[in-house]
């Protein structure tokens, strides 16, 4: 009995540890979408199966001179909604998280992979716009498209307050290095959203039914 109890406890401890590692590296969510409007989300969030939701507003892309990766020429800026940095893998390596919409957190691989390096305290002005290809908008789940353009450009100025590890919610083929700021109540009606569904086994059917025409991640 003692041996059985010890083995059972060890297996449970290992499972718990693996689960915590996955949460730390991938984020504590069951399903997510790369693009949804506020109205889309308002129809879904009150659902009894949705345990929690965190959002990242798609503020846009800036093409920045000096980036050396031809397949990743943009800085993509997302505004973190409440609870985003706790639920998703935002691991600060130096500095701190942004506290308002005038501050920005940059990913380390902008320097390591893109060859573009900034310092904490530096002021960064970005002409943010939306990716458009053949009349359709493109998002972070779509690789760089030949002939795409940036439209509706607006200049936003940020102070660099820190750096963080490349996040798992940025796909390997994403064309933008994901920088994070805070919302200011303005900007595009476009959001990434990540959900915890209860029971978790219903995640696939719930997400497919709720977002039938949107790219979904699990």
């Amino acid at each position: 009995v003692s041996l059985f109890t010890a083995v059972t406890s060890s297996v449970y401890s290992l499972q718990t540890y693996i689960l915590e590692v996955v949460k730390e590296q991938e984020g504590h969510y069951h399903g997510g979408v790369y693009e949804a409007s506020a109205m889309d989300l308002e129809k879904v969030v009150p659902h009894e199966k949705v345990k929690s939701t965190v959002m990242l507003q798609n503020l846009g892309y800036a093409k920045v001179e000096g980036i050396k990766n031809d397949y990743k020429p943009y800085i993509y800026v997302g505004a973190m909604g409440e609870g985003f940095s706790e639920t998703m893998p935002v691991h600060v390596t130096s500095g701190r998280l942004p506290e308002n919409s005038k501050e920005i957190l940059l990913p380390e691989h902008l320097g390591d992979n893109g060859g573009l390096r900034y310092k904490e305290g530096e002021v960064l002005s970005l002409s943010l716009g939306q990716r458009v290809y053949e009349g359709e908008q493109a998002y972070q789940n779509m690789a760089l498209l030949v002939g795409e353009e940036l439209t509706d450009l607006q200049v936003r100025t940020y102070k660099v307050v820190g750096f963080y590890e490349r996040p798992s919610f940025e796909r390997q083929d994403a064309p933008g290095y994901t920088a994070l700021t805070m919302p200011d109540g303005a900007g595009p009606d476009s959001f990434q959203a990540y959900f915890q569904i209860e029971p978790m086994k219903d995640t696939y059917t719930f997400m497919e039914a709720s977002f039938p025409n949107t790219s979904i991640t699990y």
Side-chain angles (χ1 to χ4, degrees):
V1 172
S2 298
L3 178 60
F4 176 78
T5 302
V7 171
T8 303
S9 298
S10 297
V11 170
Y12 176 77
S13 297
L14 179 60
Q15 289 176 332
T16 301
Y17 170 75
I18 292 173
L19 181 60
E20 292 303 316
V21 169
V22 171
K23 289 179 183 178
E24 181 75 9
Q25 294 179 347
E26 303 297 329
H28 190 193
Y29 72 96
H30 304 146
V33 292
Y34 289 98
E35 194 281 325
S37 68
M39 184 176 293
D40 293 333
L41 295 172
E42 287 173 1
K43 293 177 182 177
V44 174
V45 171
H47 198 283
E48 61 182 7
K49 289 185 180 295
V50 178
K51 181 179 178 182
S52 68
T53 310
V54 295
M55 294 180 286
L56 185 70
Q57 185 181 13
N58 295 313
L59 293 185
Y61 295 82
K63 194 163 188 176
V64 183
E65 290 187 13
I67 292 179
K68 295 179 170 53
N69 186 338
D70 293 335
Y71 299 98
K72 206 175 183 73
Y74 305 124
I75 291 178
Y76 159 78
V77 181
M80 298 182 290
E82 183 178 355
F84 185 88
S85 62
E86 290 80 28
T87 300
M88 303 302 289
V90 180
H91 303 311
V92 177
T93 56
S94 65
R96 60 173 174 80
L97 289 168
E99 297 175 351
N100 57 62
S101 62
K102 301 297 183 183
E103 298 179 340
I104 199 166
L105 182 73
L106 297 179
E108 285 189 330
H109 66 306
L110 175 60
D112 299 337
N113 177 268
L116 191 61
R117 299 186 183 278
Y118 293 96
K119 296 179 180 179
E120 289 178 34
E122 194 167 347
V123 175
L124 180 60
S125 290
L126 300 174
S127 294
L128 291 178
Q130 305 304 312
R131 297 173 60 209
V132 175
Y133 176 73
E134 296 185 347
E136 298 292 332
Q137 199 162 335
Y139 301 95
Q140 274 288 75
N141 61 312
M142 300 177 67
L144 186 70
L145 301 166
V146 176
E148 71 174 54
E149 298 177 337
L150 293 183
T151 64
D152 302 323
L153 296 175
Q154 293 187 348
V155 177
R156 287 179 177 250
T157 301
Y158 301 101
K159 179 181 178 181
V160 179
V161 295
F163 298 86
Y164 78 116
E165 295 176 359
R166 177 175 184 154
S168 61
F169 52 87
E170 177 187 294
R171 288 171 44 139
Q172 290 296 318
D173 61 351
Y177 296 91
T178 303
L180 301 173
T181 186
M182 300 299 292
D184 61 1
D189 181 20
S190 174
F191 300 86
Q192 294 182 38
Y194 299 86
F195 304 91
Q196 291 181 24
I197 306 300
E198 196 166 284
M200 189 173 66
K201 66 180 180 63
D202 291 346
T203 299
Y204 182 82
T205 54
F206 176 82
M207 295 298 295
E208 290 292 325
S210 301
F211 301 98
N213 301 313
T214 305
S215 181
I216 298 172
T217 181
Y218 297 100

